[in-house]
Amino acid sequence: MTVENQRAGVVVEDMDQDRFPAGMRVLAVDDNPTCLKLLDTLLRKCQYQVTTTNQAVMALKMLRENRNKFDLVISDVNMPDMDGFKLLELLGLEMDLPVIMLSGHSDTELVMKGVTHGACDYLLKPVRIEELKNIWQHVIRRKKFDSKVQNNSLNEDKACHGAGDSRLGVISTLSADQDGKLCRKRKEQNEDEEEDDEENEHENEDASNQKKPRVVWSVELHRKFVAAVNQLGFEKAVPKKILDLMNVEGLTRENVASHLQKYRLYLKRINSVAAQQASMVAALGGADSSYMRMGSLDGFGEFHSLAGSGRLSSSALSSYTPGEMLGRLNSHASLVLRGITSSGLVQASGQNLSSSINTLGQIQPTPLPSNQSASLFQGVLTSLELTQLQQSKCTSSTGDFNPIKDSRGFTAVSNGFSDTRVTVGSSTSLLPGASSHPLVLQGNPQLPDDRGAFVNQYSLGVASLTPDTFDIGGGGCSNFLDHSNNESWQSAIQLSRFSSNAVPLRHELHIKAKMGRTQTGLQSKLEPHCQYQKFCGFCQWYNKSLGPQFGPK
Amino acid sequence: MELGQMQGRLAEYTRSLYMEGILDAQFLQLQQLQDESNPDFVVEVVSLFFEDSEKLLNDIARALDQQSVDFKRVDAHVHQLKGSSASVGAQRVKDACVAFRNCCEEQNVEGCLRCLQQVKQEHYLVKNKLETLFRLEQQIVAAGGSVPMAEMTF
């Protein structure tokens, strides 16, 4: 495997303008050594800078280490350690890199799959040098769209704010964003006011021919994003407002717009799956386990919408007993609980969060049948934190809630529902692995009037749960747990509080219960706090980010 | 043998391989990729191919030998073999793989075994042919000549 030379690493994000497309940095992934060697040579012949690996996981690791190290990824479809499409999705989600699929198969379905998963191109083996000579166009295309979008959005912003603006923005980003975009790299999580559009425009225009650093939608950032979306209300969440709410320096409206688009797509996909969750939710019943712990709290409120419409079998869901609904987002099963008839969820009595947690704690996460689920989100279901719902408001009758219609989607993604036969069908395996995958939760705004929807969904800005249906008992409704920053945690809590409908993350609640109520207590008490350590996404994430000494018990 | 003759022989031999369908245009591409910066490219790739394919053939044989044959697995191996043979231009091997995959789809063990035989044969054939080819090339180089760039003149 060739290692990129040092010089390339130093070049940072700027593309070598003069020589482009020569010097374009390509990462080639193929488990077949013959093909890989051939690909390597062909690419070198095109004067690209080539790095090769025969393992998808290795490729992912390299990309995660430094996403700006490569301009383009070429990957085989059939690989033993990870499905090429899965890799494709991950790459599209995590880093806006153009990805080209390579395969010996030319079946229409496969090509279609490649397209829907976001591949820029689909090449057949044996690959010809003529085709490789042109792959640089995908990199250029992204940049062009990016600057075009920014120009458009700037105009729009000047023209008007509001729905129209965002819609335009979204549309343009939609079209431009087909291949993702190169975004300004988010510098840090300061609370500084994000620079204004003027600045962006200038920077972008200047840099329009240069490769811009990509925005990394980390757990943190996504959390803010979702918080902002929730606060605004899913239907009213327009990129500009989200951006303002997020208050992140270095983030542009376009970044937000494209992320929002992806978020919506995910939610939509989850929707159909979630519809089947209704019965599962019904099964939840009981005040105790009314909520499913949706996923690890790694990325609070982050969840990847499991795509996989219709993959969840509602029957499987209904077999869950409330106590078993503990979803462990950290594991890869992401269960999209859509329409969990909140009966189960909502019932969590606010007072008894701890007990609920305990009950939930007994839930053994079981791997979801679908492999795809593995890739799902973490911590999606903060919505499960409905426990804070006041009992009175909670529809205590389990059967009360109407399953959220598919149109409304929100799907709580939970991992590892025990007995979950719900296959989270996410064809998009969203960031599984690392505990800090930004989760995208998408929900259809039209939540039916039933209470079913999870509040958390709402707070997640997913389904637009009508707030009045849930009256989530005050206190600490925060869907996002800001691990690293107590203040922001609190502000996140503020953000996520959706007219008191926000439901705190279950784990967050139990952390509070265990570790002391103070926000500062959270950080100061770093020792393993939780009996769910093993499958508590938050713990895992938290511990991972804070050091091995705090590893799970 | 004198250099010119050797080169002539090589050209003839190469052409025959193309004619018989043992090699296809992909091999030509490989040869064209070889240059000063990459002088042994063809030999390297082909060696890699043979190494890999032998392993695959063994895996396939083993898989077919099981009590209950995992056709998906066999298919995966054959697909790999098809990919790599296509990449080096071993046309007949590739075609044999295509036929093999059909047998896998039908889940016919007998058919698969037959296909495996066929693939093995083609594999063996192309291996020998290429070894001969490389030997000829080496002789030419040893004699101080250069190997002419292959051309598809037919």
Side-chain angles (χ1 to χ4, degrees), chain A residues 447 455 458 464-472 498-501:
Chain A
L447 202 63
V455 173
Y458 205 13
S464 44
L465 286 175
T466 44
D468 53 311
T469 56
F470 293 98
D471 190 349
I472 298 178
F498 182 85
S499 53
S500 83
N501 279 347

Side-chain angles (χ1 to χ4, degrees), chain A residues 115-231:
Chain A
V115 171
T116 54
H117 284 65
C120 297
D121 207 347
Y122 193 105
L123 300 178
L124 289 186
K125 285 185 189 171
V127 68
R128 297 177 307 144
I129 198 168
E130 294 85 2
E131 291 172 349
L132 291 179
K133 283 214 166 101
N134 287 333
I135 56 176
W136 56 267
Q137 62 179 294
H138 300 294
V139 180
I140 292 292
R141 228 179 257 163
R142 252 167 219 241
K143 290 196 305 188
K144 275 265 155 28
F145 277 131
D146 192 27
S147 56
K148 206 193 292 181
V149 164
Q150 283 161 349
N151 288 338
N152 286 347
S153 60
L154 280 165
N155 293 338
E156 288 155 13
D157 286 347
K158 287 173 191 149
C160 61
H161 294 272
D165 174 59
S166 64
R167 237 173 268 135
L168 277 174
V170 170
I171 289 172
S172 61
T173 44
L174 265 173
S175 55
D177 201 42
Q178 292 306 325
D179 303 328
K181 51 197 335 188
L182 299 174
C183 307
R184 277 249 337 258
K185 189 178 198 147
R186 177 177 61 80
K187 302 236 166 60
E188 58 227 338
Q189 314 260 357
N190 292 340
E191 300 299 300
D192 293 345
E193 198 61 34
E194 170 237 359
E195 64 254 56
D196 63 27
D197 288 341
E198 275 313 303
E199 223 171 57
N200 282 348
E201 175 175 17
H202 291 318
E203 280 165 340
N204 291 329
E205 277 174 349
D206 288 344
S208 65
N209 288 332
Q210 291 177 347
K211 181 166 146 75
K212 294 184 269 293
R214 297 186 177 90
V215 167
V216 173
W217 280 93
S218 69
V219 167
E220 189 74 36
L221 196 60
H222 182 81
R223 180 181 58 69
K224 287 190 179 171
F225 171 81
V226 182
V229 171
N230 290 340
Q231 186 170 340

Side-chain angles (χ1 to χ4, degrees), chain A residues 30-35 37-38 41-42 45 76 78 80 103-105 125-130, chain B residues 26 29-30 32-35 38 41 44-45 48-49 52 79-80 82-84 86-88 101:
Chain A
D30 192 339
D31 63 319
N32 189 324
T34 315
C35 297
K37 176 146 179 81
L38 178 64
T41 309
L42 286 173
K45 205 67 180 208
D76 186 30
N78 312 91
S103 173
H105 289 300
K125 285 185 189 171
V127 68
R128 297 177 307 144
I129 198 168
E130 294 85 2
Chain B
Q26 182 65 21
Q29 278 232 339
L30 290 188
Q32 287 173 344
L33 281 176
Q34 185 164 293
D35 55 18
N38 215 344
F41 175 62
E44 280 172 13
V45 173
L48 206 52
F49 166 66
D52 185 42
H79 176 70
Q80 275 248 325
K82 173 175 162 241
S84 35
S87 299
V88 297
R101 299 197 73 216

Side-chain angles (χ1 to χ4, degrees), chain A residues 80-91:
Chain A
D81 58 341
M82 185 190 293
D83 182 33
F85 294 116
K86 192 153 122 185
L87 179 67
L88 171 59
E89 261 195 70
L90 289 179
L91 292 181

